[in-house]
Amino acid sequence: MKNLDVIKNPKFLEFSGSQIGKGTPEITVIHYDCWTLRITLNFNRQDQPVYVNFDGICGFRVLDEGDLLEFWKSNQHLSGWLWQVEQGGCS
């Protein structure tokens, strides 16, 4: 059960770039070309999309937020929309 405890008690920080968008984001495009992963987000209170780019990607996983949040304790949520998971959470 130790692994389940790690999943339910992740260590994460709000990523500094998560203050760019206004409102709730929706992922509209995920593009990966072996060098860069680009995620396009549309916000319900913003006309222009926000692009989140990741370089040097070895692999990535796409999950609906419900897939993660069902395991996390309710007091584990941070403000913002972009988090850096340092340990646990979805491993």
Side-chain angles (χ1 to χ4, degrees):
M1 285 296 160
K2 185 177 182 183
N3 284 342
L4 189 56
D5 288 337
V6 170
I7 291 171
K8 287 187 174 186
N9 296 297
K11 293 181 182 176
F12 50 88
L13 302 169
E14 181 181 354
F15 194 77
S16 61
S18 68
Q19 300 305 321
I20 295 170
K22 298 175 184 175
T24 303
E26 177 181 8
I27 295 174
T28 56
V29 178
I30 297 173
H31 176 79
Y32 176 65
D33 64 8
C34 294
W35 294 277
T36 303
L37 170 65
R38 174 178 255 196
I39 301 172
T40 304
L41 300 167
N42 286 326
F43 288 81
N44 56 0
R45 292 186 273 154
Q46 186 172 309
D47 292 334
Q48 297 296 318
V50 171
Y51 302 100
V52 180
N53 295 317
F54 299 91
D55 296 323
I57 299 297
C58 295
F60 65 95
R61 193 177 352 180
V62 177
L63 299 171
D64 180 271
E65 68 274 5
D67 295 333
L68 295 175
L69 297 178
E70 73 178 88
F71 296 107
W72 293 7
K73 293 182 179 180
S74 60
N75 63 349
Q76 290 292 110
H77 304 173
L78 294 174
S79 62
W81 54 267
L82 185 58
W83 305 334
Q84 179 177 333
V85 178
E86 295 184 326
Q87 178 181 337
C90 61
S91 51

